[in-house]
Amino acid sequence: KTVKNAESKSKGRPIKFIEGIEIKASPVSNVQEEIVGPGKNDLPLETTVKVTSTDVSIEKISSIQFKYAQLLDRNVEDVKNISLYIFIDEWMNTRYRYGGTGKNGIDCSGLTGQLMRNVFTINLPRTAREQYNISSKIHKDDMQEGDLLFFNISRGISHVGVYLGDNYFVHASLNNGVIISNLEEPYYNRHFVSAGRVSGNDHTTAVTR
């Protein structure tokens, strides 16, 4: 099922925000806010996320969590990688442009390159085929948030996205631009080739945007 906007899929189910979160300013020249929780060492590493921005607030973080909990049909406290979802939100609906790497148009491998660099601090080669070649192949049952998903749309590996969990992935599609889709959709299920994990991406490291 393709997800294009925030439909209230979670109505009728309890949605709970993460309790005990606080925002504190870090002593840096630009505005840097760090999300920390009580007993930091007792929490999953992915719960602690540094976000460098000029407009990030607890309200925006809560809004991002709520929006993507609805889109991905999960509890709000399970939307943990705030940097990832802020990145997706900033790029959502950007039009597709072959060879593009910017907000005026981006292609599939351009998006995965931008996302992996900005969220996971990993540099990828430019094309979907090259990204496929340098990744370790992962069984579908072992996919994790941040893995690359590869598709054979035309003449081999020709499309790539980033896995978000629960069969959802973000990608730049030819017809709809940057969207979130589901691997269970017949079109993507039919063309899916493999998941790949890039060396150095442990999927739990807190990163600075």
Side-chain angles (χ1 to χ4, degrees):
K1 182 177 182 180
T2 300
V3 180
K4 296 181 182 178
N5 48 49
E7 298 176 355
S8 298
K9 296 171 58 178
S10 299
K11 287 184 178 179
R13 61 182 295 184
I15 294 180
K16 177 182 177 184
F17 286 86
I18 302 174
E19 297 178 354
I21 287 180
E22 61 177 316
I23 299 287
K24 65 179 182 180
S26 300
V28 292
S29 57
N30 59 340
V31 177
Q32 185 180 59
E33 296 172 324
E34 181 179 1
I35 310 168
V36 297
K40 178 176 177 180
N41 293 331
D42 299 328
L43 294 173
L45 289 177
E46 61 191 15
T47 303
T48 302
V49 181
K50 291 182 179 181
V51 179
T52 299
S53 178
T54 57
D55 62 353
V56 175
S57 64
I58 188 64
E59 290 81 10
K60 179 172 180 178
I61 290 167
S62 296
S63 175
I64 290 287
Q65 286 180 295
F66 186 81
K67 175 179 179 179
Y68 287 94
Q70 288 185 310
L71 290 174
L72 304 177
D73 195 23
R74 62 179 60 159
N75 293 325
V76 174
E77 64 265 29
D78 294 327
V79 181
K80 297 175 180 179
N81 193 339
I82 305 301
S83 288
L84 172 61
Y85 290 101
I86 287 178
F87 176 92
I88 292 172
D89 207 58
E90 291 173 349
W91 286 84
M92 188 67 79
N93 299 320
T94 299
R95 73 181 182 90
Y96 181 92
R97 183 168 69 86
Y98 181 74
T101 58
K103 292 292 181 64
N104 62 335
I106 194 164
D107 64 14
C108 63
S109 56
L111 179 70
T112 54
Q114 290 275 8
L115 188 154
M116 297 300 288
R117 180 169 60 255
N118 284 280
V119 177
F120 295 105
T121 63
I122 290 175
N123 291 319
L124 295 178
R126 179 62 183 88
T127 69
R129 166 61 72 176
E130 290 171 331
Q131 293 174 11
Y132 176 82
N133 288 340
I134 60 95
S135 65
S136 300
K137 305 310 175 287
I138 304 297
H139 191 276
K140 197 172 183 179
D141 293 338
D142 298 323
M143 296 187 306
Q144 299 178 23
E145 178 185 275
D147 286 338
L148 299 173
L149 304 186
F150 298 99
F151 302 85
N152 180 355
I153 305 297
S154 173
R155 299 178 183 177
I157 302 299
S158 49
H159 190 63
V160 60
V162 176
Y163 190 59
L164 303 177
D166 302 315
N167 282 321
Y168 290 102
F169 65 103
V170 62
H171 62 127
S173 74
L174 181 63
N175 295 323
N176 298 302
V178 178
I179 57 170
I180 291 174
S181 300
N182 194 299
L183 270 177
E184 293 180 351
E185 296 175 46
Y187 178 81
Y188 295 113
N189 185 55
R190 183 169 66 253
H191 292 285
F192 178 70
V193 174
S194 173
R197 188 168 299 163
V198 181
S199 178
N201 186 359
D202 62 7
H203 309 291
T204 59
T205 304
V207 299
T208 301
R209 294 181 71 251

